[in-house]
Amino acid sequence: MSYSLTIEPIGEQINVEEGQTILQAALRQGVWLPFACGHGTCATCKIQVVEGDVDIGDASPFALMDGERDEGKVLACCATLQSDAVIEADIDVDDDFEGYPVEDYVATVTRIVTLSPTIKGVHLKLDRPMTFQAGQYINLVLPGIEGSRAFSLANPPSRADEVELHIRLVEGGAATTHVHQQLKAGDQLSLSGPYGQYFVRRSQPGDLIFIAGGSGLSSPQSMILDLLEQGDTRQMTLFQGARNRAELYNHDLFQGLAAKHSNFTYVPALSQAEKDDQWTGFCGYVHEAAKEHFGGRFAGNKAYLCGPPPMIDSSISALMQGRLFERDIFMERFFTAADGAEETTRSALFKKI
């Protein structure tokens, strides 16, 4: 049995199978509803039921208060339909969002590469091509690990039948420990995607600044490769931050791109460079490298940030001090198990991307 769901204010109508959550149904039919945790604890996916019968499911009482339940509010990641329904959701319509539906895939590990002492490059062959926008992510299921983990795609959309992931080892993290210590070529894994609202807004004018830290390089790598393949002529500058040279992975790749493309500039930065007498690049944090390169003035650019929360927050402060504002800054923050989630979500400083 399935029910009809109308999503306002966009007027989109989708089918929801019995037992399927509203969020699952929407994503799998190319309709993006805001969400973060995916299991009823953060309230990002809160929506208003206008008509119909809806089961609220296992929503946390902290994320969905009693008064809100009485008002007809539910969490899309938990709620299931008991009849045809109409809901209202806080949806930002973005003309650059392609809205590719989420699908399930079977993937075979083809190779695992050591990118740095703490980051593995995992390459997967899909059972069929996945259509996605550069910057989006997938949910990966690992054997013996409950639930799924979100990892950004590092390959460009032109390589649609394969997946490249950059996976950092998280201390005490069951999923990343499995990847670093047990996963091997030939293993088969399940994944779903694409997810996310982190992608280049191609219709917006302005040169592009990418600031990445740690395994947060994955999304900017996908974006930059895609833009250069498509012949985008805007100036692009990548600032890559790491503690030391051993952690500064894919350095040769981006040096090669900078040599080949006159509109691409690569600026690596080491925060512990004082311990390396041979390093001749920028010494300091990655947001400081951006400030020095642009003379502290960022107006007229669009900035895309990806990495750990402290890097994101420092970069936002530097960019805004240099006259770049919310409408010009897009981001993906990487949380680990120590933060309570192994997935990506938005900066708490901004309400919307």
Side-chain angles (χ1 to χ4, degrees):
M1 180 181 294
S2 66
Y3 301 105
S4 174
L5 177 67
T6 302
I7 303 172
E8 300 293 357
I10 60 175
E12 192 80 27
Q13 191 172 70
I14 63 172
N15 291 321
V16 182
E17 299 297 326
E18 187 173 13
Q20 186 179 38
T21 69
I22 291 173
L23 179 62
Q24 290 170 341
L27 294 178
R28 290 180 178 275
Q29 292 171 71
V31 179
W32 181 261
L33 295 179
F35 78 99
C37 76
H39 48 76
T41 61
C42 75
T44 303
C45 65
K46 192 176 296 179
I47 56 177
Q48 177 70 51
V49 178
V50 178
E51 295 178 15
D53 297 323
V54 179
D55 186 333
I56 64 171
D58 192 21
S60 163
F62 299 101
L64 191 65
M65 305 282 194
D66 288 342
E68 293 176 315
R69 298 173 190 229
D70 293 340
E71 293 170 357
K73 290 184 171 60
V74 300
L75 302 183
C77 70
C78 299
T80 56
L81 296 190
Q82 307 296 303
S83 70
D84 293 346
V86 178
I87 62 167
E88 287 183 352
D90 183 15
I91 300 176
D92 295 322
V93 178
D94 193 315
D95 292 338
D96 290 304
F97 181 52
E98 300 293 342
Y100 298 123
V102 171
E103 297 182 20
D104 297 315
Y105 299 85
V106 176
T108 302
V109 180
T110 56
R111 61 192 175 105
I112 301 174
V113 181
T114 298
L115 298 175
S116 82
T118 60
I119 299 173
K120 296 286 189 184
V122 178
H123 295 255
L124 307 168
K125 183 74 171 180
L126 299 177
D127 58 344
R128 66 188 189 283
M130 176 194 296
T131 305
F132 67 95
Q133 288 182 264
Q136 292 189 294
Y137 68 92
I138 55 94
N139 277 338
L140 183 68
V141 178
L142 293 160
I145 309 297
E146 184 178 357
S148 61
R149 300 295 187 273
F151 297 108
S152 295
L153 293 156
N155 53 294
S158 60
R159 286 158 42 196
D161 61 344
E162 62 182 81
V163 164
E164 178 185 345
L165 309 174
H166 300 167
I167 301 179
R168 181 174 70 87
L169 179 62
V170 177
E171 185 176 356
T176 62
T177 297
H178 179 91
V179 169
H180 278 249
Q181 297 182 3
Q182 296 174 260
L183 195 67
K184 61 185 185 301
D187 287 353
Q188 282 200 335
L189 304 173
S190 297
L191 62 87
S192 62
Y195 298 93
Q197 290 275 283
Y198 186 60
F199 51 85
V200 175
R201 272 60 178 180
R202 293 176 183 267
S203 67
Q204 298 186 15
D207 292 332
L208 305 174
I209 297 171
F210 298 93
I211 302 179
S215 59
L217 180 66
S218 50
S219 289
Q221 175 176 305
S222 177
M223 291 170 162
I224 290 165
L225 291 174
D226 183 44
L227 289 165
L228 293 176
E229 285 179 3
Q230 297 298 322
D232 197 298
T233 58
R234 285 174 291 181
Q235 290 296 318
M236 309 172 208
T237 306
L238 169 64
F239 298 93
Q240 181 188 5
R243 288 189 299 270
N244 51 56
R245 281 200 296 176
E247 293 289 347
L248 191 72
Y249 72 94
N250 282 0
H251 181 260
D252 291 344
L253 167 65
F254 292 108
Q255 280 193 321
L257 290 175
K260 183 178 179 180
H261 299 275
S262 60
N263 62 326
F264 176 67
T265 302
Y266 174 53
V267 182
L270 300 184
S271 61
Q272 297 178 4
E274 68 277 1
K275 300 179 182 179
D276 187 345
D277 294 336
Q278 312 244 332
W279 177 250
T280 58
F282 184 85
C283 303
Y285 292 105
V286 68
H287 69 279
E288 297 170 335
K291 287 177 66 175
E292 180 181 278
H293 184 84
F294 281 93
R297 296 182 295 276
F298 300 104
N301 293 280
K302 301 294 180 184
Y304 293 84
L305 321 179
C306 196
M311 186 219 80
I312 294 289
D313 293 341
S314 297
S315 298
I316 290 172
S317 296
L319 292 168
M320 295 187 77
Q321 288 170 11
R323 309 299 293 173
L324 210 62
F325 299 106
E326 178 177 348
R327 66 180 180 275
D328 304 311
I329 303 173
F330 308 91
M331 73 210 71
E332 200 79 289
R333 285 162 64 111
F334 275 29
F335 286 88
T336 70
D339 302 304
E342 280 191 72
E343 61 185 332
T344 55
T345 188
R346 307 178 192 180
S347 170
L349 295 181
F350 288 171
K351 291 183 179 180
K352 60 182 77 171
I353 289 182

